[in-house]
Amino acid sequence: MQKIKILAVAPYEGMAEAISSIAGTFNDIELTVQIGDLDTGRKIAVELAHKNYDVIISRGGTAELIRSTVEIPVIDISISGYDILRAIKLAETYSGRYVIAGFSGITGSARVLCDLLQYDIDILTFTGEEDALPALRDAEKRGCTLTLGDMTAVSAAKKLGMNSILISSGTESIKTAIEGAVKLVRSSLHVHKQKDLFQALLTDQEQEFLIYDPAGSLWFSSLAVDEMNDSLMNLVQTYLKAFLKVPDQTVARQIRDKVYTISSRHLYYSGQKYTAVIIRLTDAIIAEENPEIKIYNKPDYLAEDSPTYYSSSSRTGDTAYMIEEYSRSKLPVLIAGETGTGKDKVASMMYENGPFAHSPFYVIDCKFMGERKWNNLLTSDNSPLSSLHATIYIKNCDTLSKVQLEKLFSYVESTNLIKRNRLIFSLVTRHGEPHDTDCVRTCLENRLSCLTLLLPPLRERLSDFSSIAALYLHKLNVSLGKQIIGFETEAMEVMTSYQWPGNLDQLHRVLKELVTLTSTPYISYRVVKNIIAQEPSSHADSFTTSLDLTQTLDDINYQIIQTVLKEEQGNKEKTSKRLGISRSTLWRLLKSRDIKA
């Protein structure tokens, strides 16, 4: 027969020993004894209640507090008339005046006993632990020097320097309480049988289950007592607040060589909301410290605290609109742009505002994926690609070989990956080298029907430059403890005339250097000029390798105009701005060489 699991919370050590001794005479119970009075006892019961006890036994005010906190049945170890009479008889040998004090479990029986035996004894009833000291202090003023009572009364008497006698529960009362607990559980045996069967079913699964009550206290756990893993429970606590508020969330965290996938559901019983937490453990396919695969979750996903730079001008306003609309869609998206244009930031924005924001965000960096790791990603059951309703960001697709790319497309098409998850791809475009990524981009757009988002380089966002710089300056002021307002006019001209081959990443780094070197409200022209002079020129290499310096000056100028015009894709306004000449001058120079303007 299945043993009955009893948790005994004794208010004092002597009772704990008595309970353990008497429980040893029962063959059908499994007993755990803890010592704690009142709130301490209540906390013990709350902490242990989820360990699948059938019933709790305790005494007096401690039992009342436990009963008001946990849903497990609580059996009170009563104070019999004989227990009280024994204490009174002992007190009769005391020469001074005494008082009976405690919670109603003791004082109610004491009143009945005193009425029957016509004892004239002061009786004080506590409604809370805070009542004990004031009540006994008043009794002391009336000449009482001895207190008969429960643990609360005895503890308060000691603080006041009064003598005290603890009214303890006799063996008969303890045995009666244990027998009552057994009868209570046996009377609802069919319910406990169902509970045990369902619990066995849950614990035999590869998943673990936790259930939290409406107050966020652990109510049920499928984990065996000796398997309670502190790091795992701490991990659950990290997300519990979010789970209690929002249902149907899934987070994933890799710890060393294991991946913990934790999901939540809301269950309702008698109008009360309970939160179920399901934990699944799998082997990681990549070591935690490796950069190939990273896992993020919305509750704790805090990308670098950088502002959004796609909402300040007409062109970037269009980009912001596309990001917003693409975020809502479940269709795959290709983000293309030069190095440093914010592709990772845009991908994270699409995740945080996307349809699967309550599931993990997997970032797979193709730049670090060798052939063996790539094959493992596409074949392992524990791969992020095997997820359901996750957002998967495959970055730097331009670094994949043709074989790897073909394997990816075959996997996506054969497993319906696009229908199961949200896919985001990114590739790096290079200024002046448009053909390097054409094949990858064409395959992603045509074979996978990706929506395409082209992020403009910083040199094409000059109308946004001052706004972007202001947002970065604010962030740097906070992190570096500065109070910089902006740039001197000449300094800003130097900043906007530079081509910024590294785009936003380079701008952020340069601004950090400028802010560090500046102690005045405005960043000076001199400091900017010195820093920019140390930065690489985005077009110098292409110029020096393509220019024929043996020609005349007019021919060399013409070559420069042709090179810049090609890089700006025939845009004469941008070309003239880069060359520092007017559009009419550019037109005249081209016309003079019989080139149609």
Side-chain angles (χ1 to χ4, degrees):
M1 181 180 291
Q2 182 77 23
K3 288 189 175 182
I4 296 171
K5 291 186 65 176
I6 299 177
L7 171 63
V9 181
Y12 54 92
E13 188 173 351
M15 174 172 280
E17 294 176 357
I19 293 174
S20 297
S21 176
I22 295 169
T25 63
F26 290 79
N27 297 322
D28 55 349
I29 66 174
E30 180 182 326
L31 180 72
T32 300
V33 181
Q34 297 287 323
I35 301 173
D37 187 34
L38 295 177
D39 196 56
T40 302
R42 181 192 64 81
K43 289 178 180 178
I44 291 172
V46 170
E47 290 174 0
L48 299 180
H50 68 275
K51 294 185 177 179
N52 308 317
Y53 290 104
D54 297 311
V55 64
I56 298 175
I57 62 175
S58 189
R59 193 185 90 149
T62 305
E64 292 179 20
L65 283 175
I66 294 174
R67 188 178 290 110
S68 66
T69 307
V70 302
E71 296 183 2
I72 300 174
V74 178
I75 299 296
D76 198 341
I77 300 174
S78 64
I79 302 293
S80 68
Y82 179 76
D83 296 328
I84 298 172
L85 182 60
R86 184 173 51 200
I88 292 174
K89 287 298 181 183
L90 183 61
E92 285 180 348
T93 63
Y94 182 76
S95 59
R97 187 175 177 184
Y98 61 91
V99 64
I100 297 176
F103 286 89
S104 58
I106 285 180
T107 59
S109 299
R111 290 184 189 280
V112 172
L113 183 64
C114 289
D115 287 343
L116 290 175
L117 300 179
Q118 296 183 343
Y119 287 159
D120 183 17
I121 304 173
D122 286 343
I123 299 176
L124 306 176
T125 302
F126 307 148
T127 57
E129 188 175 8
E130 66 280 358
D131 296 341
L133 277 174
L136 290 182
R137 189 176 287 115
D138 289 341
E140 187 180 28
K141 291 177 181 178
R142 295 194 302 270
C144 293
T145 58
L146 174 66
T147 299
L148 280 61
D150 55 18
M151 279 299 300
T152 303
V154 168
S155 297
K158 287 181 179 179
K159 291 179 181 179
L160 294 173
M162 296 177 67
N163 296 315
S164 61
I165 294 175
L166 175 66
I167 302 177
S168 59
S169 297
T171 56
E172 300 85 359
S173 298
I174 294 174
K175 185 177 181 181
T176 300
I178 294 176
E179 290 174 343
V182 171
K183 288 180 181 178
L184 176 65
V185 175
R186 294 292 181 214
S187 66
S188 55
L189 188 61
H190 67 288
V191 177
H192 288 274
K193 184 176 181 179
Q194 284 183 331
K195 177 182 77 72
D196 291 339
L197 288 173
F198 285 122
Q199 181 179 327
L201 179 63
L202 290 176
T203 54
D204 285 343
Q205 301 294 315
E206 294 181 357
Q207 299 173 327
E208 301 292 352
F209 294 85
L210 306 172
I211 299 178
Y212 290 84
D213 65 19
S217 299
L218 188 56
W219 183 78
F220 170 82
S221 171
S222 67
L223 291 167
V225 175
D226 57 351
E227 293 177 358
M228 292 298 288
N229 186 298
D230 288 340
S231 61
L232 176 57
M233 295 306 295
N234 289 337
L235 182 60
V236 173
Q237 285 295 323
T238 302
Y239 301 105
L240 182 59
K241 189 174 181 180
F243 288 163
L244 293 173
K245 288 183 179 180
V246 182
D248 303 321
Q249 296 191 78
T250 300
V251 299
R253 282 279 294 273
Q254 182 170 344
I255 301 177
R256 293 181 290 278
D257 60 342
K258 301 293 183 182
V259 174
Y260 295 87
T261 303
I262 306 173
S263 304
S264 68
R265 286 184 57 194
H266 284 177
L267 309 171
Y268 291 87
Y269 182 80
S270 298
Q272 296 289 316
K273 180 181 72 178
Y274 293 79
T275 300
V277 176
I278 302 97
I279 306 168
R280 185 167 64 91
L281 178 65
T282 56
D283 293 325
I285 65 172
I286 301 291
E288 182 182 11
E289 64 275 8
N290 289 0
E292 294 92 339
I293 300 175
K294 295 297 179 184
I295 310 172
Y296 303 94
N297 306 282
K298 188 168 183 179
D300 60 1
Y301 180 67
L302 297 174
E304 183 181 354
D305 186 21
S306 53
T308 302
Y309 302 112
Y310 301 99
S311 59
S312 46
S313 76
S314 58
R315 175 152 189 187
T316 54
D318 291 339
T319 305
Y321 172 76
M322 293 176 69
I323 293 172
E324 184 179 350
E325 293 302 313
Y326 286 2
S327 295
R328 297 193 183 103
S329 172
K330 294 182 180 179
L331 295 174
V333 176
L334 168 62
I335 306 172
E338 295 180 15
T339 299
T341 48
K343 296 182 288 296
D344 292 353
K345 173 64 178 176
V346 171
S348 70
M349 290 167 57
M350 288 187 173
Y351 160 66
E352 292 180 87
N353 299 293
F356 299 139
H358 294 309
S359 295
F361 178 46
Y362 296 97
V363 179
I364 302 171
D365 195 339
C366 301
K367 183 168 58 177
F368 300 104
M369 297 290 287
E371 197 68 31
R372 183 180 61 82
K373 292 179 179 178
W374 188 252
N375 290 335
N376 195 24
L377 178 72
L378 298 178
T379 57
S380 173
D381 291 337
N382 297 334
S383 169
L385 302 183
S386 301
S387 302
L388 180 65
H389 296 163
T391 301
I392 303 173
Y393 174 36
I394 305 176
K395 60 185 287 189
N396 294 317
C397 290
D398 50 293
T399 62
L400 292 175
S401 66
K402 290 184 179 179
V403 174
Q404 288 175 317
L405 201 61
E406 183 57 40
K407 287 181 178 179
L408 173 63
F409 292 144
S410 298
Y411 179 88
V412 171
E413 292 166 351
S414 63
T415 62
N416 285 324
L417 183 63
I418 291 176
K419 293 183 179 180
R420 292 187 288 111
N421 299 286
R422 175 72 186 281
L423 298 185
I424 302 175
F425 302 90
S426 77
L427 56 83
V428 178
T429 59
R430 293 170 178 83
H431 186 61
E433 303 176 20
H435 299 293
D436 284 359
T437 57
D438 275 0
C439 177
V440 179
R441 176 176 171 180
T442 300
C443 289
L444 288 169
E445 289 176 332
N446 294 340
R447 288 190 64 174
L448 300 186
S449 301
C450 286
L451 305 173
T452 301
L453 180 66
L454 296 176
L455 300 183
L458 188 56
R459 63 180 174 277
E460 295 181 10
R461 304 178 59 189
L462 294 180
S463 59
D464 284 336
F465 194 92
S466 61
S467 298
I468 295 172
L471 293 172
Y472 268 139
L473 285 179
H474 168 70
K475 177 189 172 186
L476 291 168
N477 280 336
V478 173
S479 62
L480 300 178
K482 297 276 187 166
Q483 293 182 329
I484 295 175
I485 299 173
F487 291 83
E488 292 180 354
T489 302
E490 296 83 357
M492 180 58 78
E493 290 176 357
V494 174
M495 295 287 285
T496 55
S497 63
Y498 180 62
Q499 293 300 301
W500 299 103
N503 295 292
L504 293 173
D505 290 348
Q506 184 186 16
L507 175 62
H508 185 257
R509 175 179 56 78
V510 169
L511 284 175
K512 184 181 289 185
E513 294 181 24
L514 294 173
V515 170
T516 301
L517 295 171
T518 299
S519 57
T520 57
Y522 290 91
I523 299 174
S524 69
Y525 165 78
R526 179 183 58 82
V527 175
V528 170
K529 185 178 180 181
N530 290 338
I531 293 297
I532 294 298
Q534 301 173 32
E535 294 298 309
S537 172
S538 56
H539 304 293
D541 292 340
S542 62
F543 282 169
T544 55
T545 55
S546 62
L547 289 178
D548 182 1
L549 300 179
T550 64
Q551 300 182 80
T552 65
L553 180 60
D554 286 343
D555 289 336
I556 293 174
N557 286 338
Y558 172 64
Q559 286 184 75
I560 293 174
I561 291 174
Q562 277 193 316
T563 301
V564 177
L565 189 63
K566 182 179 179 181
E567 290 178 350
E568 297 296 349
Q569 300 179 357
N571 190 312
K572 297 181 180 62
E573 183 176 353
K574 292 182 179 179
T575 300
S576 61
K577 193 166 186 177
R578 274 183 57 186
L579 293 173
I581 60 178
S582 66
R583 198 170 186 276
S584 59
T585 301
L586 176 63
W587 181 87
R588 178 174 54 78
L589 291 172
L590 292 173
K591 186 69 175 178
S592 66
R593 300 294 297 234
D594 295 325
I595 301 295
K596 186 177 179 180

